[in-house]
Structures are given as structure tokens and as C-alpha cells.
Amino acid sequence: MFAARQQGVVFLETVLSTRPSKAGHCAIECVPMSMSKARDVPGYFQESLLASGDEWSQHRKIIKTARKSEAVAPTEGDVTDQDRNHFQARQAIRRGGFRNTMTAKLPYFHVWFDHHGGMGHVIEAPEKFPAWFGREVVAGVLDLPPTVYRKPRRLKETHDQRCDRADEWKKQFGWTKFDWTKLLEEK
């Protein structure tokens, strides 16, 4: 959808709590931008993630979640168990990408640069990690003031106004060509 408009896009995923009792949920944000800015985003996030958190943490600061290249199956002949294990591990990573590289049941931040993946960060101290971390980095790339990402303006609108705004957005982006929910109705 954004590629048709010559735009890049970044998806930000933040999970600050995995406990059901806290009623937390995953938040995924989509930020379109020019292609030239989108090319710079991975470097900005790498620097920001390296600077975040404690110096002595249990997990790596950056977890690359891009889909790995195809694993080459070892040929029979001089095949050791280590070769087979390495091949199976590469296959598992290639299949899962994000899910097989991130730590399960821990809060995390993940940024997708394209459909192949991006980079993630395990949040070891959720109370210290800002909920606006991803928006802050993107705002730095786009030269936006802190008011845009820290305390965004909340729109006070009726349900009808919200529906009208959504319809306007659908027309602006040509949503009907990309609406995957129609596939669900066909089945």
C-alpha cells in the first residue's frame, strides 16, 4: 500500500506486560514516511536500543529478527550430527523469524522495517522503559517535537465523526485494493 505511493513504512510493536492481571496488551503502530527517511531508520533504532537499558542485562540489547537466508541441507557423506543439528536450527529460525528469535513470555519492543523483520529488544525493567520509545526514535528521524510522541492530542469526536475520518483515510490510501478482510468474507 505504501510502496505504491513511494513511501517507506515502519511498524512498532510494544508489549510492556505479559501478565493477564495487568490487562496489558500489545500495541502495534504503523508510521509511513519518505523512502529516504525509511532507509535511515534501522541505524537510528540500533543506536537507540544500544543506549537503552542497563549495561549489565541478561539478554542481548538487540535481537535481529530478519528472516534468515535459506539453510543448505548437508549432503550425505561426511555429515556429522553437528551438521544436522545446525541445519535443523537454521530451518527453525528461518520458519519462525520473529517468534523463534525473541524470548517468550517477557515484555519486548520490536520494530519491523519490512516484511522480512527488523530488530527486537527484551524489556527487563518495564517500569523504566518508556511506552513512547519507538515513537521517540521515529520522531527523531522525522525531526518532530516531543509533543507529538509524548502526549499526542486526543481527538474528542463522536462515533459518526470517527467513521467519517476512517472513510476519508480509506479513500486517501485506496484501501479497497489492499483490504485483506474481504478474503475472510469469501470463505
Side-chain angles (χ1 to χ4, degrees):
M1 180 165 77
F2 294 105
R5 299 183 66 168
Q6 300 299 313
Q7 287 184 316
V9 66
V10 175
F11 292 93
L12 309 170
E13 182 176 1
T14 307
V15 177
L16 291 176
S17 175
T18 57
R19 291 185 293 166
S21 63
K22 289 198 83 169
H25 63 277
C26 174
I28 299 177
E29 300 170 276
C30 172
V31 183
M33 61 186 69
S34 69
M35 291 296 249
S36 62
K37 298 276 187 181
R39 282 190 284 274
D40 296 338
V41 169
Y44 276 83
F45 271 100
Q46 183 163 348
E47 286 299 314
S48 298
L49 289 171
L50 287 172
S52 72
D54 296 329
E55 185 177 343
W56 303 103
S57 59
Q58 292 181 335
H59 300 90
R60 289 181 289 165
K61 293 229 179 196
I62 296 177
I63 300 170
K64 301 283 186 178
T65 60
R67 188 182 317 170
K68 306 293 187 243
S69 60
E70 294 291 324
V72 178
T75 57
E76 293 300 323
D78 283 340
V79 178
T80 65
D81 286 338
Q82 184 178 4
D83 292 335
R84 281 192 195 91
N85 291 342
H86 178 70
F87 173 71
Q88 290 168 351
R90 292 281 310 231
Q91 287 285 72
I93 290 171
R94 186 178 53 78
R95 274 195 310 271
F98 172 69
R99 288 288 166 219
N100 283 342
T101 53
M102 292 298 290
T103 306
K105 298 182 181 174
L106 284 176
Y108 65 89
F109 170 79
H110 186 255
V111 57
W112 297 80
F113 305 120
D114 57 22
H115 63 282
H116 296 297
M119 57 183 72
H121 173 76
V122 175
I123 301 170
E124 294 185 4
E127 63 280 354
K128 294 179 183 177
F129 192 84
W132 61 79
F133 175 80
R135 290 189 304 246
E136 182 178 21
V137 175
V138 170
V141 174
L142 300 176
D143 297 323
L144 298 173
T147 54
V148 172
Y149 62 86
R150 284 228 175 161
K151 292 189 178 185
R153 182 176 55 101
R154 300 286 182 221
L155 297 176
K156 294 178 181 169
E157 57 190 4
T158 65
H159 177 72
D160 292 337
Q161 290 172 325
R162 206 171 13 253
C163 289
D164 290 344
R165 200 161 52 92
D167 290 340
E168 177 68 29
W169 183 89
K170 288 176 184 179
K171 287 178 195 169
Q172 180 185 357
F173 285 95
W175 176 246
T176 54
K177 292 187 288 185
F178 306 102
D179 189 1
W180 57 271
T181 59
K182 291 181 180 180
L183 296 173
L184 300 174
E185 294 171 1
E186 292 175 6
K187 292 184 178 187

